[in-house]
Every structure is written in C-alpha cells, then in structure tokens.
Amino acid sequence: MIDLIEYLPILLFLGVAIVLSSAFVFLPMAVSRLTGSHKPTPEKLTEYECGFPAFEDSRSQFDVRFYLVAILFIIFDLEAAFLFPWAVTVFKLGASASWVAWTSMMIFIAELALGLVYAWKVGALDWE
C-alpha cells in the first residue's frame, strides 16, 4: 500500500500555487475597490481594438492584411534572429568551413530578400 504522506509535498506545492495565483488575481481588484481607483466611466468601458475605437460589431472579421503583416513580421524577425548565433560562431570554424558557412548564409539572405521582394510585389505590405 502506498503511503499517502509521500504526496504531501505535491499537495503543499499545489496549495501554495493556488493561494498565490488567487492572490495575484483577486488582490489587485480588491485594492482598486478599496482605494477608490475603480470608477468606471463611459470612456473606460468602451471597446478598444488595434489602436482605434470599434466601429462595427465585435464579432466582425478583421482584414486579412492585418494577419498577413503580423505573420510576415514574425517570419522575418525569427529569420533575423538566426543571424546572431551564426555571426558568433562563423569565425571559429576554420578557413575552409567558414567559407562554406558564409556562402550558405548568403544564400539564406538572398532567399530572405527574394521573399521580401515577392511580398512587396504582391502587395502584402501595402496598408490602406
């Protein structure tokens, strides 16, 4: 038979986690009510989406260009993040391997440039 006292550290951990998470959620709300900073006004209760006030139903769809620009930003940002580790380690490889690494990175940057030119030509970066 398993001794239930072995589960006490797990139960204590879960108890502390529940108490702390509840405190982080409910204490700021209670403090704002007690200090008087919770005064809803019509301006505070309005919807605010993407830098402009809502002018349609909240269930209406966003324009696809918003998501396309966000995805393109993430793609180019992540690909640019690959340049830093490469730049740190390329000169530690040796003479012949560093030329191979340099050539492969130039091919990678050329592919990035081609992707950017394609997105530009298609009009993915145009915002009306």
Side-chain angles (χ1 to χ4, degrees), residues 10-79:
I10 295 172
L11 291 175
L12 286 175
F13 179 76
L14 287 175
V16 169
I18 289 171
V19 167
L20 284 178
S21 62
S22 299
F24 286 139
V25 170
F26 295 115
L27 275 180
M29 291 190 292
V31 168
S32 71
R33 294 233 184 228
L34 291 175
T35 60
S37 63
H38 177 75
K39 294 182 177 131
T41 61
E43 289 83 17
K44 284 184 180 179
L45 296 176
T46 58
E47 297 87 9
Y48 188 76
E49 299 172 350
C50 300
F52 55 87
F55 53 86
E56 292 180 5
D57 184 25
S58 62
R59 292 186 179 96
S60 65
Q61 294 180 347
F62 280 102
D63 194 4
V64 168
R65 288 176 294 190
F66 174 77
Y67 298 108
L68 187 59
V69 169
I71 289 171
L72 285 173
F73 171 75
I74 291 171
I75 288 171
F76 284 108
D77 189 42
L78 287 177
E79 289 175 347

Side-chain angles (χ1 to χ4, degrees), residues 2-3 15 47 56 68 71 77 92 109-112 117 121-123 126:
I2 298 175
D3 195 13
E47 297 87 9
E56 292 180 5
L68 187 59
I71 289 171
D77 189 42
K92 296 178 184 176
I109 291 175
E111 289 175 0
L112 275 180
V117 168
K121 288 284 188 183
V122 170
D126 293 337

